[in-house]
Amino acid sequence: MTGSLLRIRLYEFDQRSWHSRAIYSDVVKHLWQQGAPGVTVFHDNEGYDSHGKLQRLDSDYMADVPMTLEVYGLSEEVQEVCREIDSILPKTSRVFVISNVLNVKEANVRMQSTPNTAQWEKDTGYVLRVYMKESDQYHHVPLYEALLLELKKLGILWVDVQRALEGFGADHVLRKTAWLSFSSQAPLVLEATCKADSAGVILDSIHPLLAQASGPAVMFQGSILSLGGGGQRR
């Protein structure tokens, strides 16, 4: 099954007026009310604001850092989400849609490619993104830790785990990261990059783990410009 991944770039201080709450909160609430398939919100540590000034989250003053909202769903669902939020997004926002995204939690998913040249095989890769809760487990081990371990065994070292600011999934329960809380319900996203010729083997190996993720697990194609010295060891 293929779908689309929607990425919305906003700024933390984007709001309708000086006394209203941040636009990203309005977007999340609106999508929640409209029954969207899910949304995950990331808070950047630093980046340029809408005026081109570098902002850092750990600054002494209130920083207008960039934020990213992600929605995965069927192409029709993503198109509907875009229509729903078009009127409330500020002019400084950026909307980007990645098409032909595979839902790799589905049974019998196979990576298919028809390269025309040897160069295509060399440069083509896949990005895997797994959306989960911090409490998701595999054999009594945190799922993200189990995935990190399995991917390392497979020689995939280009992997990272991000803690989201807030989000909701198919259960329609909105969860937020609370820094002073011991709750294990924080949204997490694991991302890994692999070469095209190993994608099928990797999916076969980690499929039992992906089935335990409370959110979607998706994979989309791209071009690898450089793996450096530690991107993947065979």
Side-chain angles (χ1 to χ4, degrees):
M1 182 184 296
T2 60
S4 296
L5 181 64
L6 170 68
R7 292 173 60 87
I8 307 166
R9 294 284 286 175
L10 298 168
Y11 294 98
E12 184 171 14
F13 290 169
D14 282 338
Q15 55 193 87
R16 298 177 188 275
S17 62
W18 68 270
H19 62 276
S20 62
R21 63 182 181 179
I23 286 291
Y24 85 86
S25 294
D26 284 343
V27 173
V28 173
K29 181 180 179 182
H30 187 74
L31 294 179
W32 184 83
Q33 291 174 335
Q34 297 301 317
V39 62
T40 307
V41 182
F42 300 98
H43 209 167
D44 290 0
N45 286 325
E46 63 180 276
Y48 290 108
D49 63 17
S50 56
H51 302 290
K53 183 177 180 180
L54 185 63
Q55 302 277 3
R56 294 175 58 91
L57 191 60
D58 58 358
S59 299
D60 293 333
Y61 57 91
M62 298 287 284
D64 191 18
V65 295
M67 311 197 64
T68 302
L69 285 70
E70 289 189 350
V71 177
Y72 169 75
L74 299 176
S75 298
E76 297 79 11
E77 292 176 318
V78 169
Q79 290 173 8
E80 180 61 27
V81 167
C82 290
R83 286 191 290 267
E84 286 286 346
I85 62 174
D86 181 62
S87 61
I88 62 176
L89 289 180
K91 292 182 179 179
T92 54
S93 65
R94 295 292 181 268
V95 178
F96 185 70
V97 177
I98 303 173
S99 302
N100 299 318
V101 178
L102 282 173
N103 176 2
V104 293
K105 283 179 70 172
E106 293 293 319
N108 301 319
V109 171
R110 291 292 180 267
M111 309 308 296
Q112 296 181 353
S113 58
T114 55
N116 296 320
T117 65
Q119 186 67 25
W120 191 97
E121 288 183 311
K122 178 182 177 182
D123 295 342
T124 299
Y126 284 96
V127 175
L128 168 72
R129 289 182 69 80
V130 186
Y131 298 81
M132 67 192 89
K133 297 196 300 281
E134 193 174 10
S135 59
D136 290 348
Q137 295 191 347
Y138 180 74
H139 292 170
H140 307 293
V141 175
L143 179 60
Y144 74 93
E145 291 185 6
L147 280 165
L148 284 170
L149 234 109
E150 188 63 28
L151 289 167
K152 183 179 180 180
K153 291 178 183 176
L154 294 166
I156 309 302
L157 305 184
W158 199 347
V159 187
D160 60 77
V161 178
Q162 299 170 285
R163 182 186 295 267
L165 180 66
E166 62 180 86
F168 67 87
D171 58 6
H172 216 58
V173 176
L174 184 62
R175 296 181 172 85
K176 299 185 178 183
T177 296
W179 303 111
L180 300 179
S181 170
F182 292 102
S183 171
S184 61
Q185 298 298 312
L188 298 178
V189 178
L190 178 142
E191 179 174 295
T193 303
C194 65
K195 295 179 69 175
D197 58 1
S198 60
V201 174
I202 292 166
L203 277 186
D204 287 343
S205 299
I206 67 173
H207 196 271
L209 286 77
L210 299 181
Q212 302 305 311
S214 53
V218 302
M219 187 172 268
F220 53 91
Q221 186 178 299
S223 297
I224 298 177
L225 302 182
S226 174
L227 277 173
Q232 182 174 350
R233 296 175 186 174
R234 302 284 297 178

